[in-house]
């Protein structure tokens, strides 16, 4: 691989309507696929969240805590299938915009231990990157060596992939402009913080508002905490609002964009 990859996450709150079960936001998916194509960044790894596809089913079957009873087995299958459905829509949009994207299903290449990634098959992803292909992964129901199964968030994947492939940066596309001093959805006085250090993030001083809808992987703060290992590896993270046109494009192009930069130094 010639250059260090960029890891881009598209949040479930952006590509789905988190308040309506299994409802994709096709306009957003289409627009973002076009922005990714136009930005033409390579190497690029794409990860997306579960939104109203993965989370409600994982919650219904109480999968986040692992295997407890046989009835959950169906929930495992259903959660994975729901994620493949959402992923299918993302892939369709990417391919229709000529992005050379290839699906890498986490349920087939990741095993967790007590919810944390224990092993991940990286060779095919590395080869894809070398070939100029864009691997597309997503939060998924995966097998867990201690608990039977687990729900792996896209954010844990982002951090792990960024570290394993020595990424130059992470871009997180969510449904708010970045990290705020207060919850921006309920406080008009909330101010966007343009720069956050790793120490500040660790101290949980900053609140961030994400979706209030079902999220079995810990909501926006949980997502931010997942980034800590990548930040410790000096991988800079930029949080932008992917519901607003051109924010992801500008982030990918390294242009000036509204958002929050989180970095170690
Ligand atoms: O939306 C979780 O991924 P996330 C995916 O990135 C499932 O937290 C299956 C709930």
């Amino acid at each position: 691989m010639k250059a260090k990859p960029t890891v881009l996450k598209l949040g479930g709150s952006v590509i789905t309507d988190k308040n309506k079960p299994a409802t994709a936001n096709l306009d957003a998916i289409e627009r973002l696929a076009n922005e990714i194509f136009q930005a033409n960044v390579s190497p690029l790894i794409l990860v997306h969240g579960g939104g109203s596809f993965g989370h409600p089913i994982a919650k219904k079957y109480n999968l986040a805590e692992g295997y407890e009873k046989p009835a959950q087995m169906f929930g495992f299958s259903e959660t994975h299938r729901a994620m493949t459905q959402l992923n299918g829509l993302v892939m369709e949009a990417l391919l229709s915009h000529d992005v050379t994207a290839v699906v890498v299903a986490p349920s087939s290449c990741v095993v967790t231990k007590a919810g944390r990634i224990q092993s991940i098959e990286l060779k095919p992803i590395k080869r894809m990157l070398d070939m100029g292909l864009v691997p597309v992964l997503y939060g998924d129901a995966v097998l867990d060596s201690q608990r039977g199964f687990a729900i792996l968030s896209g954010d844990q994947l982002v951090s792990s992939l960024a570290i394993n492939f020595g990424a130059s940066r992470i871009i997180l596309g969510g449904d708010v402009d970045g990290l705020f001093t207060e919850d921006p959805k309920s406080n008009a006085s909330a101010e966007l913080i343009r720069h956050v250090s790793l120490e500040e993030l660790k101290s949980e001083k900053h609140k961030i508002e994400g979706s209030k809808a079902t999220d079995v992987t810990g909501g926006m703060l949980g997502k931010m905490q997942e980034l800590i290992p990548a930040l410790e590896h000096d991988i800079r993270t930029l949080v932008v609002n992917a519901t607003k046109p051109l924010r992801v494009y500008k982030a990918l192009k390294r242009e000036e964009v509204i958002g929050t930069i989180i970095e170690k130094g």
Side-chain angles (χ1 to χ4, degrees):
M1 210 186 319
K2 283 162 253 119
K4 292 177 167 191
T6 295
V7 181
L8 169 65
K9 161 123 194 247
L10 300 177
S13 57
V14 177
I15 60 170
T16 75
D17 181 342
K18 274 196 131 179
N19 299 311
K20 290 188 200 142
T23 306
N25 185 339
L26 292 174
D27 289 345
I29 293 174
E30 192 66 25
R31 173 179 54 76
L32 287 162
N34 189 36
E35 289 186 28
I36 291 164
F37 172 69
Q38 297 294 342
N40 194 22
V41 166
S42 181
L44 176 68
I45 301 173
L46 202 60
V47 177
H48 67 79
S52 64
F53 282 73
H55 288 279
I57 307 172
K59 190 174 183 195
K60 179 178 160 197
Y61 289 91
N62 202 20
L63 299 186
E65 303 307 317
Y67 177 83
E68 282 158 0
K69 50 179 190 281
Q72 286 175 303
M73 300 292 281
F74 190 72
F76 180 86
S77 302
E78 248 200 292
T79 302
H80 173 65
R81 191 198 48 165
M83 287 311 303
T84 64
Q85 284 172 337
L86 175 59
N87 176 254
L89 298 170
V90 172
M91 292 306 296
E92 218 170 283
L94 288 168
L95 268 73
S96 76
H97 285 280
D98 290 338
V99 178
T100 53
V102 180
V103 187
V104 178
S107 61
S108 308
C109 66
V110 178
V111 173
T112 55
K113 184 176 182 186
R116 312 303 305 169
I117 295 173
Q118 184 179 30
S119 67
I120 174 164
E121 183 54 61
L122 296 169
K123 270 187 225 144
I125 303 174
K126 164 120 188 22
R127 291 234 170 262
M128 286 174 195
L129 294 170
D130 287 343
M131 291 287 292
L133 294 162
V134 179
V136 182
L137 297 91
Y138 47 86
D140 203 0
V142 298
L143 281 311
D144 188 284
S145 61
Q146 228 166 54
R147 300 179 179 166
F149 46 64
I151 297 299
L152 174 66
S153 73
D155 305 277
Q156 195 187 146
L157 265 176
V158 163
S159 221
S160 167
L161 292 165
I163 293 167
N164 276 298
F165 289 110
S168 60
R169 57 187 176 145
I170 292 169
I171 300 170
L172 288 186
D175 66 346
V176 286
D177 285 355
L179 291 155
F180 283 83
T181 50
E182 291 170 273
D183 176 344
K185 288 190 176 166
S186 51
N187 295 298
S189 59
E191 281 169 38
L192 177 67
I193 309 160
R194 298 302 299 257
H195 189 276
V196 175
S197 70
L198 173 59
E199 284 317 307
E200 286 167 331
L201 183 68
K202 276 182 173 169
S203 73
E204 295 185 24
K205 182 170 117 192
H206 300 292
K207 282 188 199 157
I208 185 160
E209 165 64 7
S211 170
K212 290 213 176 354
T214 312
D215 190 329
V216 297
T217 50
M220 198 54 114
L221 196 58
K223 295 179 188 311
M224 289 300 129
Q225 299 300 317
E226 284 294 356
L227 292 177
I228 290 173
L231 289 159
E232 274 167 349
H233 278 77
D234 233 345
I235 301 168
R236 205 177 189 235
T237 295
L238 172 59
V239 185
V240 293
N241 192 338
T243 67
K244 304 232 171 110
L246 296 178
R247 298 271 175 97
V248 166
Y249 170 81
K250 285 182 182 168
L252 285 169
K253 295 291 279 181
R254 299 179 191 272
E255 289 177 12
E256 185 65 35
V257 63
I258 295 168
T260 301
I261 292 166
I262 314 169
E263 60 191 339
K264 192 179 179 187

